[in-house]
Amino acid sequence: MNVSRFSSVETLNKIPFNFFPYYFIGILLGKVNFATHYSNINIFSALFCVTLFFLFYRIAFLFTKNIFLSLLCAIFSLCFFGTNIFSFYRYYPFSKTFFTYFAYLEFTILFVSAIELKQKIFPILCIPLFLYCIINHLQEALLIYIQAILLPMIIVLLNRSLLQQTFFKILTLFSIFNVLLSPLMIFFLKKKNFCFDPQNLLCLNTILPWLPSWAMIPNIHFSSPVMKTLGAFGIASIGLTLVTILFKKYFEQKYLILAIISLVPFLIILCPPAVYFLGHFMDCYLFYRLLYGSLYWITFPLFLFLWTAFILKKFLPSFQRKQNFIILVLSLLFIIVSFAKTTPIGGRSYMLTKKIPPEGDGRSVTPLIPILKQQPLPTRKIYISDGYTEFFLSLHGIPVSAGERFFNNGIVANEDYLESTFPVWNKKHVKTLRSLHFHLSSYVTKNNKFIVNGQSYKSRIGEISGHWNPNSANTKSIYAKNFLSSVADKKYFDKEELTPIFTLYISKDFISHPFHCSHPSYGHY
């Protein structure tokens, strides 16, 4: 929706800078038309995804200098990067997150290069990336800030001999200074007040009474956002990373750096002072998004390769020549498993390969556009339809209002629901309300037009993920029978079949027609 808002803006000075990504996408797509420009949307979505894939390849190649292994790591990002069953590649392409995540990955490349090559100029180049993220999407700015502070400190803690180098002394002092500065940042720069959310946060002083009341960490259980993001694959990657750190003497320092990058986001969400700090800058239910900075989909295949090579060299030297073949077979097994539709695995390939039918993305509305543009406007200069139809028609400039409160079948409720939702109504009033005929006299005037969308579509992704109502586009089930019987009355309405699934009902006279509105809070119309 933001793309459509800003794609028609002609001058940059009319756009807030933090909405620039939407303007950029809108310019690429031209005037947003989700029917005629559907191929353009696919092209640019693919372009952004290829860019992301290439950045993951670059990060992997920075550590491995191995084309085969770097490609394998990037392929694993396709299969496992995301949350719930949502692939980051398919879920975020037209959002600000995608662009700021590019900035975060580029920062990671520059910062690691600075540590590896001891180049002082590289951290300075990171500053514009950090500022861009602050302005556009704070989540990635926090990831950059966390990594810039903790990465040098942890590296030095694990290898204190590095403090003899001036470069690491400067980085460590910078990190300590920023840690001490954090309380002041909360005081002067906070976006919101930190508040306890029992659904998403666990208060540790309920377990350990001697801890302060602000000591909290995210709730981590089977159905929590953190676990839906990690899955079994993410947990296995953490385990492999920890083992690699414990046996760091067998591997080069650069792999230790990657292991720390991977672990830092997990350590942060399990550290109460860090959670308290972050709670002033982002909503606590979004803490799982910090795991996007861990790159565990890269560390797993890379460390699997390292450990396989180490074990073969140490214990099975005769199999060393088959090392790449063994890695390929193991990787294929994980990639196949990533197609599982269940959250415990943590795979995203199912959504990545899922094609949305026309009923799910608005293309089913396309045939209606030229017909409505030729129709004379209703008396009130606006059509009335369901929310799904209203959303896509409005993108094409058709004046539509979502009038589901008049005919939504899903709002029909029992007496207990009505009493709990509207406590002011007692049982007597509820029974009275149920027997009333609510009127739409303010809407049913001469030449008012109701568009009824009869399509049937159930979102499989919505059903599996639980992230949205799977029947959001199942518009046929929305219209209550009493509404359909009312508009079917030829005495009051003319009927026009616009397409096989769309029907237009036009009111004849200035009347007050008895519709059965199913929601007591709307009163008489």
Side-chain angles (χ1 to χ4, degrees):
M1 195 65 178
N2 279 318
V3 174
S4 66
R5 282 174 60 200
F6 293 108
S7 62
S8 59
V9 178
E10 296 180 357
T11 55
L12 283 171
N13 58 8
K14 294 181 181 179
I15 306 174
F17 186 74
N18 61 328
F19 281 94
F20 182 79
Y22 294 125
Y23 177 79
F24 175 70
I25 296 168
I27 290 296
L28 291 177
L29 293 175
K31 188 177 180 181
V32 173
N33 182 317
F34 285 95
T36 58
H37 286 200
Y38 190 79
S39 58
N40 287 2
I41 292 170
N42 283 334
I43 290 169
F44 287 111
S45 175
L47 176 64
F48 300 150
C49 290
V50 168
T51 305
L52 182 62
F53 184 89
F54 179 65
L55 283 169
F56 284 133
Y57 169 83
R58 283 179 61 202
I59 289 175
F61 190 78
L62 181 68
F63 291 99
T64 64
K65 302 295 187 289
N66 182 316
I67 294 175
F68 165 75
L69 187 54
S70 301
L71 281 172
L72 190 62
C73 291
I75 290 169
F76 265 66
S77 75
L78 284 169
C79 299
F80 293 100
F81 179 30
T83 186
N84 204 314
I85 65 166
F86 303 114
S87 166
F88 191 92
Y89 284 86
R90 287 289 299 275
Y91 199 56
Y92 289 101
F94 294 102
S95 70
K96 293 192 290 183
T97 306
F98 219 72
F99 285 81
T100 49
Y101 196 73
F102 287 168
Y104 167 72
L105 294 179
E106 196 60 48
F107 164 84
T108 302
I109 292 169
L110 285 171
F111 202 64
V112 171
S113 300
I115 293 173
E116 277 288 291
L117 303 175
K118 314 293 187 300
Q119 292 289 332
K120 296 178 184 178
I121 189 66
F122 282 13
I124 296 172
L125 296 175
C126 296
I127 295 174
L129 297 172
F130 180 58
L131 293 175
Y132 172 77
C133 291
I134 287 177
I135 295 169
N136 282 280
H137 203 244
L138 195 59
Q139 175 184 299
E140 283 69 32
L142 290 170
L143 285 173
I144 290 175
Y145 181 73
I146 290 166
Q147 191 182 120
I149 290 176
L150 295 185
L151 185 58
M153 290 180 69
I154 296 173
I155 291 172
V156 167
L157 283 173
L158 293 173
N159 189 356
R160 293 181 185 177
S161 62
L162 292 174
L163 275 176
Q164 297 174 5
Q165 301 177 25
T166 306
F167 180 78
F168 279 99
K169 282 181 182 178
I170 294 170
L171 281 182
T172 305
L173 288 172
F174 171 79
S175 299
I176 294 170
F177 173 75
N178 276 280
V179 169
L180 296 174
L181 195 64
S182 297
L184 289 176
M185 289 180 64
I186 292 175
F187 186 77
F188 290 107
L189 302 175
K190 68 179 181 180
K191 298 288 183 181
K192 58 192 289 295
N193 290 322
F194 182 79
C195 58
F196 174 58
D197 178 0
Q199 186 176 351
N200 295 291
L201 290 175
L202 172 65
C203 191
L204 294 179
N205 72 350
T206 59
I207 303 170
L208 302 170
W210 49 270
L211 288 174
S213 59
W214 54 262
M216 303 176 195
I217 61 171
N219 265 326
I220 300 176
H221 50 80
F222 181 75
S223 59
S224 67
V226 171
M227 289 304 296
K228 284 184 176 180
T229 301
L230 287 176
F233 175 81
I235 293 170
S237 183
I238 293 172
L240 193 57
T241 303
L242 285 169
V243 171
T244 304
I245 291 174
L246 288 173
F247 294 91
K248 64 181 184 295
K249 64 180 180 180
Y250 296 110
F251 306 108
E252 296 177 53
Q253 180 182 294
K254 61 183 180 181
Y255 298 119
L256 176 64
I257 295 171
L258 180 60
I260 294 168
I261 290 172
S262 181
L263 278 183
V264 160
F266 303 111
L267 297 175
I268 283 295
I269 63 173
L270 295 176
C271 176
V275 169
Y276 181 75
F277 170 78
L278 293 169
H280 289 86
F281 296 93
M282 62 188 297
D283 293 317
C284 58
Y285 72 90
L286 295 177
F287 283 161
Y288 74 92
R289 291 186 181 178
L290 295 174
L291 300 178
Y292 292 169
S294 69
L295 309 179
Y296 62 84
W297 46 91
I298 288 179
T299 56
F300 184 85
L302 198 155
F303 291 152
L304 183 67
F305 179 88
L306 290 179
W307 278 105
T308 303
F310 176 77
I311 291 169
L312 291 178
K313 183 179 179 180
K314 192 90 171 176
F315 304 105
L316 299 167
S318 59
F319 285 91
Q320 272 189 285
R321 291 183 179 180
K322 297 182 180 179
Q323 176 181 309
N324 284 349
F325 175 75
I326 293 170
I327 289 295
L328 188 60
V329 170
L330 290 173
S331 298
L332 284 173
L333 288 174
F334 280 104
I335 289 169
I336 291 168
V337 168
S338 74
F339 282 87
K341 302 173 188 177
T342 53
T343 301
I345 301 298
R348 329 290 178 199
S349 296
Y350 173 75
M351 183 191 180
L352 194 66
T353 56
K354 188 75 173 175
K355 187 175 181 180
I356 303 173
E359 294 81 10
D361 61 9
R363 282 177 291 162
S364 60
V365 181
T366 304
L368 196 60
I369 309 304
I371 298 172
L372 290 178
K373 287 189 174 179
Q374 293 173 5
Q375 288 263 350
L377 282 174
T379 300
R380 299 175 65 90
K381 299 188 183 302
I382 197 164
Y383 295 95
I384 302 171
S385 190
D386 58 89
Y388 172 86
T389 306
E390 180 269 336
F391 176 81
F392 288 103
L393 286 179
S394 63
L395 291 178
H396 293 275
I398 306 294
V400 187
S401 174
E404 291 185 27
R405 58 181 176 171
F406 302 135
F407 50 71
N408 193 329
N409 197 39
I411 296 175
V412 178
N414 57 34
E415 291 182 17
D416 292 335
Y417 173 82
L418 291 173
E419 281 189 277
S420 62
T421 309
F422 308 102
V424 294
W425 304 103
N426 57 34
K427 284 191 175 182
K428 182 181 177 180
H429 284 125
V430 169
K431 289 177 181 177
T432 305
L433 285 165
R434 284 184 146 194
S435 66
L436 288 174
H437 287 179
F438 295 97
H439 298 273
L440 300 177
S441 57
S442 63
Y443 269 85
V444 184
T445 59
K446 186 178 180 180
N447 195 35
N448 266 297
K449 299 183 178 182
F450 288 85
I451 300 170
V452 174
N453 184 345
Q455 76 174 23
S456 299
Y457 170 69
K458 189 173 185 179
S459 169
R460 183 67 175 143
I461 298 291
E463 186 178 26
I464 296 170
S465 67
H467 196 56
W468 62 76
N469 180 358
N471 290 307
S472 297
N474 189 15
T475 53
K476 187 176 182 179
S477 66
I478 288 176
Y479 301 94
K481 290 181 181 179
N482 49 16
F483 168 79
L484 293 175
S485 63
S486 295
V487 293
D489 191 337
K490 294 182 180 179
K491 182 180 177 182
Y492 300 106
F493 283 88
D494 288 325
K495 176 182 177 182
E496 185 179 342
E497 298 283 352
L498 300 177
T499 73
I501 62 170
F502 286 100
T503 307
L504 182 66
Y505 293 97
I506 308 170
S507 57
K508 290 182 177 180
D509 303 304
F510 187 84
I511 56 173
S512 179
H513 186 77
F515 282 80
H516 300 258
C517 183
S518 55
H519 206 305
S521 67
Y522 294 123
H524 290 277
Y525 284 85

